[in-house]
Amino acid sequence: MGWDTYNAYGLDYNETIIATNAENLVNLGFRDLGYNVVIFDDAMTERNRSENGSLIENAAKFPSGLATIVDTLHRDGLYFGVYSSAGRFTCGGYPGSLGYETIDAEWWSSLGADYLKYDNCYNEGLSGTPKLSQDRYAAMSNALNSTSRQITYSLCNWGDDKPWEWASTISNSARMSGDIADTFDMPTSSCPCGPDEYYCQLPGYGCSVVNILGKASHITSKNQPGYWNDLDMLEVGNGGMDYEENKLHFSMWAAIKSPLIMGNKLDKLSPEDYAILLNPAVLAISQDPSGSAIQRRLVRQVDDTDEYGFGEVQVWSGSLNNSDQVVAFLNVANASRTMTFSLVDVFGGIRTTENAQKSWDLFDVWGNETVMANDVASQVLNGTLAVGNATG
Ligand code: GLA
């Protein structure tokens, strides 16, 4: 769990932006709930390497120097995340790490890095089979393991060559789709594969929440503690989705056990966004020790399609460590509706008849007793209420 520069700032960030968001991670209570890594995404370095081949920190962006900035993060109980690509360049055209794995891993380690997001741009054609991709990403895995630091290794190869089938032995997570956009279900030509497609060779960018969820539904069983399907950053707080859509986005990312990396501006959150991101019941589901993702059990077509042609409801469910069950009902259509399903539907057919025969107590993770009240969230955000009182 953490925060990343890219979705809200693109390549245009600097030490002031990092400091503002890092302070808000601490002061608004995010760090203490687990959002504790600050990822400097693409464009942290200069555009050229030094004469000895080393990456160079970007002096214009970080006039205080990365060493000082990282010390402050660590002193504040935050982790330092870096970014590169398993290619000749990063996606933004900065130096990539293909062929420079050892020297770059050493550089990040010397800076105190705790996390690496490792992209797939300009990969020199070294993809197209699982082996080509795995070898390319394993080179960095080995380099990181040879440093003196523990560095979480997060692949960002967009599902290329199906990392869920080979990356668990060399990494801690892997992106499984093209880049997310801040939209619930709007299709875009830049995200060419639909939500029903199990595998997408050119996954692109601009993918909606519904699109990514559909793709994820095929591979949720591939999660395990230590290796997570990464559904991409959270868009909560960026303004493109309404309250119900943001709740669905956040709940499903948590219940599928995606890393929860915010990609927003933490000094611009609305009270509703803030209450969503801090929902303690949803975070508890995300962090459940079994690490097991909920599975999609059922998709049923309904007759009112929305403006993009979606007219369906979905049921997802799965177990927590203590045998409680997480159940999600998704309405991807035009109108509010009452949904009626049998417990057999909810638990996934005859495989789980035992669960369908029990009676269950219900707890609504979005009920009033869980969600921080709007006036309390407002007071925390405008600094008139200490965060301990709000979340305690
Ligand atoms: C790719 C990644 C994004 C982001 C950008 C940075 O598109 O998938 O998450 O890191 O590169 O340029």
Side-chain angles (χ1 to χ4, degrees):
M1 292 170 65
W3 178 87
D4 180 293
T5 50
Y6 183 68
N7 279 9
Y9 299 97
L11 311 190
D12 194 15
Y13 65 97
N14 56 34
E15 68 180 52
T16 311
I17 286 170
I18 294 286
T20 302
N21 285 285
E23 278 162 23
N24 280 313
L25 283 176
V26 176
N27 295 340
L28 297 178
F30 286 108
R31 177 200 61 189
D32 292 347
L33 289 176
Y35 293 97
N36 57 18
V37 59
V38 177
I39 302 163
F40 295 48
D41 208 294
D42 202 347
M44 188 184 86
T45 67
E46 294 288 352
R47 287 208 179 257
N48 298 309
R49 290 178 177 271
S50 72
E51 271 175 17
N52 69 10
S54 175
L55 293 167
I56 310 168
E57 64 184 70
N58 190 310
K61 283 183 171 145
F62 310 114
S64 306
L66 280 176
T68 308
I69 295 166
V70 175
D71 274 354
T72 308
L73 292 177
H74 284 161
R75 188 201 62 209
D76 290 342
L78 296 166
Y79 293 105
F80 171 45
V82 295
Y83 161 97
S84 187
S85 180
R88 186 153 171 219
F89 302 107
T90 70
C91 299
Y94 289 75
S97 298
L98 187 64
Y100 291 87
E101 290 84 358
T102 304
I103 185 170
D104 289 355
E106 284 301 331
W107 188 65
W108 296 319
S109 170
S110 72
L111 284 172
D114 306 291
Y115 180 106
L116 170 66
K117 170 176 174 178
Y118 203 37
D119 219 327
N120 195 29
C121 281
Y122 298 100
N123 65 27
E124 306 272 273
L126 294 172
S127 69
T129 71
K131 176 154 174 39
L132 279 173
S133 285
Q134 184 174 24
D135 287 352
R136 192 162 41 90
Y137 281 95
M140 183 55 82
S141 181
N142 294 334
L144 294 176
N145 284 339
S146 301
T147 70
S148 56
R149 288 189 71 80
Q150 289 253 358
I151 300 177
T152 299
Y153 184 32
S154 159
L155 267 53
C156 176
N157 76 330
W158 325 310
D160 209 12
D161 292 331
K162 307 189 185 97
W164 50 88
E165 291 182 354
W166 47 261
S168 66
T169 53
I170 59 166
S171 71
N172 303 107
S173 66
R175 279 269 303 279
M176 43 57 64
S177 83
D179 292 7
I180 192 170
D182 187 14
T183 171
F184 183 65
D185 60 349
M186 187 177 76
T188 56
S189 55
S190 62
C191 177
C193 300
D196 294 331
E197 290 177 69
Y198 157 65
Y199 178 61
C200 192
Q201 189 100 37
L202 291 168
Y205 56 93
C207 300
S208 70
V209 162
V210 166
N211 180 287
I212 294 174
L213 277 178
K215 290 170 180 159
S217 70
H218 302 283
I219 57 167
T220 46
S221 63
K222 302 292 184 177
N223 263 357
Q224 56 184 303
Y227 176 76
W228 313 104
N229 289 316
D230 180 353
L231 275 59
D232 204 0
M233 283 167 271
L234 294 167
E235 293 282 9
V236 180
N238 290 334
M241 287 184 273
D242 68 24
Y243 183 57
E244 295 301 328
E245 293 167 342
N246 274 319
K247 283 195 317 193
L248 186 151
H249 168 35
F250 182 63
S251 306
M252 293 303 287
W253 262 232
I256 292 174
K257 308 294 193 281
S258 172
L260 299 179
I261 308 288
M262 298 183 286
N264 49 16
K265 298 183 178 179
L266 293 174
D267 56 343
K268 298 275 187 311
L269 292 180
S270 71
E272 288 85 5
D273 298 331
Y274 182 57
I276 288 172
L277 292 162
L278 260 61
N279 182 313
V282 178
L283 291 176
I285 290 170
S286 155
Q287 301 301 304
D288 183 69
S290 75
S292 162
I294 62 172
Q295 317 281 321
R296 192 163 73 177
R297 307 294 180 190
L298 188 146
V299 179
R300 185 176 289 165
Q301 299 304 310
V302 293
D303 51 18
D304 60 319
T305 49
D306 69 11
E307 58 183 317
Y308 303 121
F310 288 102
E312 64 188 40
V313 293
Q314 304 181 11
V315 181
W316 295 60
S317 68
S319 225
L320 294 178
N321 202 37
N322 65 1
S323 299
D324 283 354
Q325 300 289 318
V326 178
V327 182
F329 299 105
L330 275 50
N331 177 10
V332 190
N334 203 30
S336 300
R337 62 176 54 249
T338 303
M339 299 191 201
T340 308
F341 295 101
S342 72
L343 284 180
V344 172
D345 293 335
V346 166
F347 290 121
I350 50 169
R351 280 168 299 153
T352 49
T353 23
E354 210 185 300
N355 276 339
Q357 282 159 2
K358 292 183 195 158
S359 66
W360 297 87
D361 292 329
L362 291 180
F363 177 80
D364 176 5
V365 297
W366 291 106
N368 285 342
E369 56 193 292
T370 317
V371 182
M372 189 187 299
N374 218 35
D375 58 330
V376 177
S378 303
Q379 288 170 51
V380 177
L381 292 173
N382 68 26
T384 55
L385 183 72
V387 75
N389 294 340
T391 57

